Amino acid sequence: MDDTQILAPDADGLHRAVALLRGGQLVAFPTETVYGLGGDARSDLAVARIYDAKGRPRFNPLIAHVSDMAMARQLAVFDDRAEALAARFWPGPLTLVLPQHPNAGLSPYVTAELPTVAIRLPAHPVARALISAFGGPLAAPSANPSGGVSPTRADHVMAGLSGRIAAVIDGGPCTVGVESTILGLFAATELLRPGGVTVEEIEALTGPLAIGGDATRPNAPGQLASHYAPNAAVRLEALDPRADELRIGFGAGACDLNLSPQGELIEAAANLFHLLRSADALAQGRTIAIAPIPDTGLGRAINDRLRRAAAPR
Ligand code: TXA
Ligand code: MG
């Protein structure tokens, strides 16, 4: 493929991006969580290109991104529980796994032939404008090579996928910084991946969530044991960093890089993937030692990503 174009998040950039998407090409775009690698969710060719560009295992289904509820209702069947969650948290960093609508028209590669489909209505204005101008759902995994650190800036996308995708829309840094929370609306409401909407916020609406997913039989790459991994080895809960380690801190205390000097989880989530990339560039063979992060609120999503980053490869 030719060089990857960097597009501005304006009318001209969106116009070019839509033309590329209509031609079955891939365009990375900003969302409030991480950058997505977008392709036409109704095109087998475009979706196959997503798996190819990422080197992603084909049994891992993709999220269909929509710009409004009307588009969402064409893809999935919404029961009262789904309607209530959508009304409360959309647009925003929540993905709902729902029964696929019989006339959804999605490529079977999006769902990996499951009867369900994962849907997300992002809050980022550029993401919504792009999907709306395209006029249909975009399949979009995180815009990074499979297994690596997710991208929260356009240059992260370029570092991993330059030359493998048609374009990236540069919308600046992502504000949330961790991927969407995924809920499976099955017999029980199951937490499939902690993310940008906290479990506490969701449970205030739904009552206690069941814990779904199984790392040994993954139906979500976020459930694979090793994921989000930098090149360097990672050690967690490091209260006693060693002299030969690169130290990532949280809150007060000596360190090389700090997720949030004030100890704020929102700031730490927004900084997480950029700091992991920076640490990787600085590590030079050293292990990255990461301070403990409280396991509440966004800390659950942060710790989930860190455990996978530290998992045996
Ligand atoms: O914040 C996000 O969700 C980002 C941005 C780009 O929107 N996207 C993202 O996509 O994280 P990805 O592909 O990295 O993760 C999507 C997750 C995977 O773990 C996948 O297996 C799961 O969604 N998933 C998709 N369809 C599913 C289904 N039908 N049942 C269960 N899990 C599903
Ligand atoms: Mg990902």
Side-chain angles (χ1 to χ4, degrees):
M1 138 135 16
D2 295 342
D3 287 350
T4 300
Q5 301 173 50
I6 300 177
L7 302 175
D10 58 14
D12 179 60
L14 290 178
H15 186 77
R16 288 166 193 259
V18 167
L20 290 166
L21 291 167
R22 294 223 167 106
Q25 300 294 321
L26 305 184
V27 176
F29 61 94
T31 83
E32 69 276 26
T33 59
V34 301
Y35 274 72
L37 177 56
D40 182 351
R42 299 162 301 192
S43 160
D44 289 350
L45 176 60
V47 179
R49 282 182 170 145
I50 292 175
Y51 285 97
D52 186 55
K54 280 184 64 89
R56 178 179 175 111
R58 301 224 173 195
F59 55 79
N60 286 323
L62 303 171
I63 298 172
H65 293 67
V66 298
S67 53
D68 53 51
M69 276 309 288
M71 200 184 284
R73 288 200 181 90
Q74 288 173 358
L75 304 181
V77 180
F78 281 72
D79 62 9
D80 290 348
R81 185 175 42 155
E83 290 286 352
L85 284 160
R88 170 74 177 82
F89 296 110
W90 280 357
L94 177 69
T95 295
L96 299 178
V97 174
L98 299 168
Q100 195 175 165
H101 193 286
N103 303 120
L106 293 168
S107 165
Y109 300 154
V110 171
T111 55
E113 307 197 55
L114 292 167
T116 52
V117 60
I119 310 229
R120 166 154 134 75
L121 203 176
H124 198 293
V126 174
R128 288 184 75 188
L130 177 69
I131 300 161
S132 174
F134 177 65
L138 292 180
S142 52
N144 57 286
S146 187
V149 179
S150 301
T152 52
R153 303 178 182 207
D155 60 293
H156 298 165
V157 177
M158 291 298 279
L161 296 176
S162 178
R164 301 184 65 82
I165 63 175
V168 54
I169 303 174
D170 186 351
C174 302
T175 53
V176 175
V178 290
E179 290 85 348
S180 60
T181 304
I182 306 182
L183 292 182
L185 301 203
F186 310 129
T189 304
E190 298 185 13
L191 178 68
L192 300 180
R193 178 177 73 184
V197 177
T198 66
V199 169
E200 292 88 338
E201 289 173 277
I202 295 166
E203 290 187 334
L205 181 73
T206 61
L209 295 174
I211 301 300
D214 177 352
T216 60
R217 285 186 302 111
N219 61 359
Q223 297 169 11
L224 296 172
S226 173
H227 205 76
Y228 313 104
N231 294 314
V234 175
R235 190 167 73 88
L236 303 182
E237 312 276 339
L239 285 166
D240 56 339
R242 301 162 196 150
D244 61 347
E245 290 179 322
L246 186 126
R247 299 161 301 171
I248 295 185
F250 176 79
C255 59
D256 299 293
L257 298 167
N258 202 321
L259 283 163
S260 170
Q262 307 298 323
E264 287 168 5
L265 290 169
I266 292 176
E267 183 183 28
N271 287 335
L272 177 66
F273 290 133
H274 184 65
L275 246 67
L276 281 178
R277 287 168 183 270
S278 302
D280 218 7
L282 295 170
Q284 294 183 319
R286 289 178 290 171
T287 291
I288 301 172
I290 306 180
I293 313 289
D295 206 36
T296 57
L298 282 175
R300 266 176 93 137
I302 295 170
N303 284 321
D304 170 81
R305 306 307 186 268
L306 289 176
R307 276 192 295 274
R308 293 171 209 281
R313 317 242 168 107

